[in-house]
């Protein structure tokens, strides 16, 4: 169990990060999701909302769920001037206990780390994908550079890592078609200027109809 990922942890995390950073959606959305027809989407662990907004701007009906009330308030305030065909539902809830009332055509999660085993969390999210729907998981690579100073890139503990094989292990081969299972490097900015390379796990799978 990873009890360090409590509600108090995430409130502190978002307080420390400040509210003056430029927000950019993760590039995996463009490479993995841009070709899908919009439907109902869940952004699990939505944080300040960059990915949820990217989806909503492309016609998805988005439910954005996060454990941090602070992050959701920021998201609502930051994007209050945006107009979408269907407004984003910003939902304050614990994804380890919350249950959706309907399945989704798309479930996405980017570096979401709950107070439960990471693999069990991914298995839980996968159950919320409708037949024919897609699952996109992006996480920190198991052998990635998470030994950086806390202020450099992320404040996640080193337990917040995964690997494609670990995510695939929770997906029944008879129920899922896997189209992506990669580790990708990308450069991110760090405080004070410059960039640092991160290694992201990217898994996209479609539940068979």
């Amino acid at each position: 169990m990873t009890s360090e990922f409590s509600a108090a942890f995430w409130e502190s995390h978002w307080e420390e990060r400040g509210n003056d950073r430029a927000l950019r959606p993760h590039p995996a959305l463009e490479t993995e999701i841009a070709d899908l027809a919009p439907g109902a989407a869940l952004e699990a662990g939505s944080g300040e909302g960059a990915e949820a907004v990217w989806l909503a701007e492309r016609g998805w009906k988005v439910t954005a769920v996060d454990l941090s009330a602070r992050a959701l308030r920021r998201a609502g305030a930051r994007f209050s001037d945006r107009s979408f065909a269907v407004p984003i539902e910003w939902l304050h809830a614990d994804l380890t206990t919350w249950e959706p009332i309907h399945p989704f055509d798309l479930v996405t999660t980017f570096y979401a780390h709950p107070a439960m085993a990471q693999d069990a969390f991914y298995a839980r999210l996968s159950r919320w994908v409708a037949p024919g729907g897609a699952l996109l998981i992006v996480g920190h690579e198991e052998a990635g550079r998470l030994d950086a100073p806390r202020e450099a890139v992320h404040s996640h503990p080193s337990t917040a890592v995964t690997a494609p094989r670990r995510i695939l292990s929770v997906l029944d081969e008879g129920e899922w078609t896997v189209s992506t299972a990669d580790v990708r490097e990308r450069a991110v900015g760090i405080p004070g200027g410059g960039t640092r390379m991160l290694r992201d796990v990217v898994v996209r799978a479609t539940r068979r109809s």
Side-chain angles (χ1 to χ4, degrees), residues 30-41:
E30 190 66 46
T31 60
E32 302 298 327
I33 301 303
D35 63 332
L36 298 182

Side-chain angles (χ1 to χ4, degrees), residues 23-54:
L23 291 185
R24 298 180 181 85
H26 196 282
L29 283 172
E30 190 66 46
T31 60
E32 302 298 327
I33 301 303
D35 63 332
L36 298 182
L42 170 67
E43 224 294 85
S46 57
E48 292 179 290
E51 286 75 30
V53 168
W54 187 96

